Amino acid sequence: MHDGEAVLRVDGLHKVFGDLEVLRGVDMEVDRGEVIVIFGRSGSGKSTLLRCINFLEEPTQGTIEVAGIRLEGGHRTRQKREQIRQVRTHCGMVFQQFNLFPHMTALGNVMEGPVTVKGVEEDRARNIAIEVLAKVGLADKAEEYPIRLSGGQQQRVAIARALAMEPDVMLFDEPTSALDPELIGEVLSAMKALATELHMTMVVVTHEMGFAREVASRMAFFHEGVILEEGSPEEIFDRTRNPETRRFLDAVL
């Protein structure tokens, strides 16, 4: 199954909030260039998984390895804080909410990470920003402020901002769920372009099953804090034998 080069490994991941166990031993491996779509009911732990991968949430237990940097869940030390910073430079993340800086243009938003986090000089950061904005179809909006952009355009700027860091893996946490229906398509096609043209490694939490069928290399059905089933889109959509997966798909398709 995994003859490629694993960019991301998750081993025995648990996350407990108070007395609620949200992740109950998740194992996952993602090879370079794969697009993994994670789907399942709200509250099944999908977003928590992504937030643990780049340590926005501290895993209670388990191991995360990104681009060869291996981190154990549990308490933070100074050395670990530095490793978390490194992990985040290898992991781009796109959220439901776009979280753009309102006082910066689209270009400024995209340049910010390379300049402040990676210390890239301004001219080179500007060139990178122009290039990635073009990749998400927004070359003509570089000088616009977020308030002048539609939700779909803002989300594409957020994708460009993550891309500008030249990450090894991009994490998408329901990137279209806050958008009006008519704007969803433009964001999904920008994501599809990343997968097909840039061969970007992507882990996408989404309810967009059309995108999953078309773009995913693998799909993972999340249920009550574990991956209940995984396989190719064909295996999942057409041949799943798992009653929980079937029930979910029948409800959403």
Side-chain angles (χ1 to χ4, degrees):
M1 178 94 183
H2 291 289
D3 45 2
E5 173 197 354
V7 176
L8 169 65
R9 274 199 188 89
V10 176
D11 288 312
L13 188 66
H14 289 259
K15 177 64 185 175
V16 179
F17 292 102
D19 55 4
L20 180 67
E21 193 171 15
V22 179
L23 300 178
R24 300 184 304 140
V26 177
D27 299 311
M28 191 170 80
E29 198 165 295
V30 182
D31 290 344
R32 194 169 292 285
E34 277 196 301
V35 177
I36 309 295
V37 165
I38 296 178
F39 69 109
R41 290 181 187 80
S42 294
S44 57
K46 308 180 303 288
S47 295
T48 303
L49 170 64
L50 289 195
R51 294 175 68 84
C52 283
I53 289 172
N54 75 351
F55 284 82
L56 289 169
E57 297 285 359
E58 184 70 51
T60 307
Q61 189 188 327
T63 319
I64 308 271
E65 189 178 318
V66 178
I69 304 162
R70 189 181 160 86
L71 281 166
E72 298 282 340
H75 62 284
R76 292 198 180 184
T77 60
R78 184 176 297 160
Q79 183 200 0
K80 185 170 171 186
R81 275 199 290 272
E82 173 53 32
Q83 285 179 305
I84 289 171
R85 202 186 62 75
Q86 286 174 7
V87 160
R88 288 186 185 150
T89 65
H90 290 279
C91 244
M93 184 135 178
V94 179
F95 301 89
Q96 295 180 21
Q97 302 299 339
F98 329 122
N99 304 327
L100 298 175
F101 294 116
H103 62 288
M104 290 182 182
T105 61
L107 188 72
N109 268 282
V110 176
M111 284 174 64
E112 178 71 6
V115 171
T116 57
V117 181
K118 289 173 93 173
V120 174
E121 53 194 54
E122 296 243 338
D123 286 348
R124 178 161 151 60
R126 180 172 285 105
N127 290 340
I128 292 171
I130 289 167
E131 202 178 305
V132 294
L133 282 168
K135 282 177 179 146
V136 297
L138 289 176
D140 57 334
K141 300 289 185 194
E143 299 304 331
E144 296 284 4
Y145 286 88
I147 198 164
R148 299 277 308 273
L149 300 174
S150 72
Q153 289 167 335
Q154 289 187 53
Q155 188 59 298
R156 285 186 285 151
V157 172
I159 292 171
R161 176 180 61 183
L163 204 54
M165 296 294 286
E166 300 171 329
D168 288 277
V169 58
M170 294 264 281
L171 309 174
F172 294 85
D173 187 8
E174 302 199 25
T176 57
S177 65
L179 296 175
D180 294 332
E182 73 274 15
L183 302 176
I184 290 173
E186 68 188 61
V187 172
L188 293 176
S189 43
M191 290 167 61
K192 185 181 169 184
L194 299 190
T196 54
E197 292 160 30
L198 301 185
H199 306 295
M200 193 74 219
T201 311
M202 292 159 58
V203 180
V204 185
V205 169
T206 187
H207 294 294
E208 297 294 334
M209 292 294 117
F211 172 83
R213 193 185 268 280
E214 217 180 320
V215 184
S217 351
R218 269 189 298 143
M219 295 175 67
F221 178 57
F222 226 74
H223 183 69
E224 295 180 351
V226 293
I227 292 174
L228 204 55
E229 179 178 13
E230 63 174 312
S232 68
E234 203 183 23
E235 288 166 332
I236 296 288
F237 285 118
D238 305 334
R239 299 201 291 278
T240 176
R241 292 228 158 51
N242 190 299
E244 285 294 345
T245 312
R246 186 74 274 157
R247 200 173 302 141
F248 179 83
L249 290 172
D250 287 344
V252 296
L253 292 177

